[in-house]
């Protein structure tokens, strides 16, 4: 059986259509499935729509968080609830095309244990967002050795891969990187990003920056090493300023020592900020609080619908 995991936050207009489209595609291809909506503390009527979708098709189930815990937690909850031999994670707005799922399923039947959905186009994204995404994935790739260019959360995982990911104890997780880090036999399938069926984009620039910083620090310690690089820059700058001053180069009323003090102070604050963020993340981990809290749930009846 295939488990379809759909993290959902304020997706009231999309729930019924998403459940109908996905179940239609899988029924046409004779794939036994269950659909799991993870309601990440939505403030609209998302949960009511999930309940109605379950009444129409008992293969649809739902998990309702007590508050908003974030997409990573919603994916994790879906993986823990999944009963299938493999699972697909897909966005609720259908920008990840459901028509690709049967192709991913066939690759899994042929032995693939991870099927990565890779974007052949990014749809209508502004230039700043595209540039920011490329920079973020380059940093992750250089730190981990995992090529994440144009990847997404849209992927299929074999049961053994799901169990390997769920065995990890850290609280702060980055799903699309962990699925590559665990290894296993991987295949890639490309897709074009579709337009949202209903509703608006939920991610604001502030949320994206926060998400990127959090996941970068959760998956790599490279930023900590930047302190040493910045220290080297200070040393080189101080030597250059000393040489210039010794050679009699005029710097006006603003002396070399003042420049060096400003440079040093700024870089020290940057380094302290990086270290502080890692300490905050360590603090969150050692508290061992749950990734999410479920306030309500609807169980599916997996299998072909009669």
């Amino acid at each position: 059986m295939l488990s379809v995991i759909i993290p959902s936050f304020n997706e009231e207009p999309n729930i019924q259509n998403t459940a109908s489209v996905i179940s239609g595609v899988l029924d046409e291809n004779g794939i036994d499935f269950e659909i799991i909506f993870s309601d990440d503390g939505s403030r609209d009527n998302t949960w009511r729509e999930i309940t109605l979708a379950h009444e129409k098709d008992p293969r649809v189930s739902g998990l309702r968080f007590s508050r908003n815990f974030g997409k990573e937690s919603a994916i994790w909850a879906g993986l823990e609830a999944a009963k299938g031999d493999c699972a697909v994670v897909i966005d609720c707005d259908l920008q990840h095309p459901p028509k690709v799922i049967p192709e991913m399923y066939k690759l899994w039947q042929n032995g693939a244990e991870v099927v990565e959905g890779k974007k052949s186009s990014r749809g209508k994204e502004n230039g700043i967002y595209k540039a920011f995404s490329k920079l973020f994935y380059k940093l992750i790739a250089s730190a981990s050795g995992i090529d994440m260019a144009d990847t997404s959360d849209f992927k299929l995982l074999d049961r053994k891969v799901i169990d390997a990911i769920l065995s990890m104890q850290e609280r702060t997780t980055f799903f699309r990187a962990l699925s590559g880090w665990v290894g296993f036999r991987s295949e890639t399938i490309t897709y074009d990003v579709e337009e949202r069926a209903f509703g608006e984009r939920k991610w604001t620039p502030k949320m994206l920056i926060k998400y990127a910083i959090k996941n970068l620090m959760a998956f790599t310690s490279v930023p900590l090493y930047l302190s040493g690089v910045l220290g080297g820059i200070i040393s080189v700058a101080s030597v250059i300023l000393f040489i210039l001053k010794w050679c009699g180069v005029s710097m006006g009323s603003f002396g070399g020592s003042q420049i060096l003090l400003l440079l040093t102070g700024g870089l020290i604050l940057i380094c302290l900020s990086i270290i502080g963020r890692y300490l905050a993340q360590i603090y969150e981990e050692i508290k061992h609080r749950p990734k999410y809290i479920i306030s309500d749930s609807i169980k599916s009846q997996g299998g072909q619908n009669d």
Side-chain angles (χ1 to χ4, degrees):
M1 182 174 69
L2 169 68
S3 297
V4 182
I5 299 165
I6 310 174
S8 311
F9 177 66
N10 292 344
E11 295 287 0
E12 177 185 351
N14 283 306
I15 298 297
Q16 298 290 334
N17 180 64
T18 298
S20 175
V21 170
I22 292 176
S23 60
V25 168
L26 297 179
D27 278 335
E28 286 176 11
N29 287 272
I31 299 174
D32 188 19
F33 70 93
E34 64 171 351
I35 295 176
I36 305 170
F37 284 101
S38 289
D39 181 2
D40 185 20
S42 298
R43 294 186 291 269
D44 61 3
N45 291 314
T46 293
W47 183 248
R48 184 191 67 186
E49 294 300 314
I50 293 172
T51 303
L52 292 174
H54 171 73
E55 291 175 356
K56 291 179 181 178
D57 188 341
R59 294 171 296 181
V60 175
S61 66
L63 303 168
R64 186 184 192 184
F65 287 0
S66 60
R67 65 169 178 81
N68 178 250
F69 284 90
K71 186 179 181 181
E72 293 292 319
S73 294
I75 293 174
W76 199 272
L79 291 173
E80 290 190 319
K83 297 180 290 186
D85 303 300
C86 58
V88 165
V89 176
I90 185 171
D91 283 354
C92 192
D93 55 19
L94 297 186
Q95 287 193 293
H96 298 155
K99 62 186 179 183
V100 176
I101 296 177
E103 298 175 47
M104 301 172 99
Y105 190 77
K106 287 178 183 177
L107 287 172
W108 171 74
Q109 287 181 314
N110 291 330
E113 294 164 321
V114 177
V115 182
E116 296 276 359
K118 195 168 185 177
K119 302 171 185 175
S120 55
S121 70
R122 300 188 65 92
K124 295 181 179 180
E125 291 181 351
N126 63 58
I128 295 175
Y129 180 81
K130 288 181 181 179
F132 182 78
S133 296
K134 285 183 178 179
L135 174 61
F136 171 66
Y137 289 126
K138 280 184 179 179
L139 289 172
I140 288 286
S142 62
S144 64
I146 300 172
D147 181 13
M148 295 185 59
D150 297 318
T151 59
S152 68
D153 293 323
F154 186 33
K155 57 193 67 187
L156 180 147
L157 307 176
D158 182 79
R159 169 51 59 182
K160 67 172 72 172
V161 181
I162 296 171
D163 292 341
I165 291 174
L166 293 178
S167 69
M168 298 179 186
Q169 299 299 309
E170 64 258 42
R171 183 180 179 276
T172 305
T173 55
F174 185 26
F175 172 68
R176 68 182 65 174
L178 285 177
S179 62
W181 181 87
V182 293
F184 296 99
R185 181 182 170 186
S186 179
E187 297 283 352
T188 300
I189 192 167
T190 58
Y191 68 93
D192 293 321
V193 176
E194 304 285 347
E195 291 299 309
R196 284 183 64 95
F198 302 100
E200 300 176 348
R201 184 183 180 87
K202 304 298 187 300
W203 291 90
T204 64
K206 181 180 178 181
M207 291 169 65
L208 286 169
I209 291 171
K210 185 178 179 182
Y211 178 78
I213 292 173
K214 177 182 176 182
N215 288 318
L216 185 63
M217 291 189 163
F219 206 74
T220 174
S221 57
V222 167
L224 282 173
Y225 302 134
L226 290 177
S227 301
V229 174
L230 294 174
I233 292 172
I234 292 176
S235 300
V236 172
S238 63
V239 170
I240 292 173
L241 288 172
F242 175 78
I243 293 172
L244 290 174
K245 198 72 175 176
W246 184 68
C247 292
V249 176
S250 175
M251 296 184 183
S253 60
F254 201 66
S257 60
Q258 292 170 305
I259 295 173
L260 185 59
L261 281 172
L262 286 174
L263 180 63
T264 303
L267 293 177
I268 287 173
L269 288 174
I270 290 172
C271 294
L272 287 175
S273 175
I274 293 173
I275 294 168
R277 282 196 166 272
Y278 273 99
L279 287 174
Q281 205 131 313
I282 292 169
Y283 176 61
E284 289 296 322
E285 290 287 345
I286 63 176
K287 285 190 289 189
H288 295 298
R289 288 180 181 173
K291 292 183 178 68
Y292 56 86
I293 299 172
I294 294 176
S295 64
D296 204 353
S297 64
I298 301 170
K299 294 184 178 181
S300 71
Q301 297 174 19
Q304 297 291 346
N305 200 22
D306 296 327

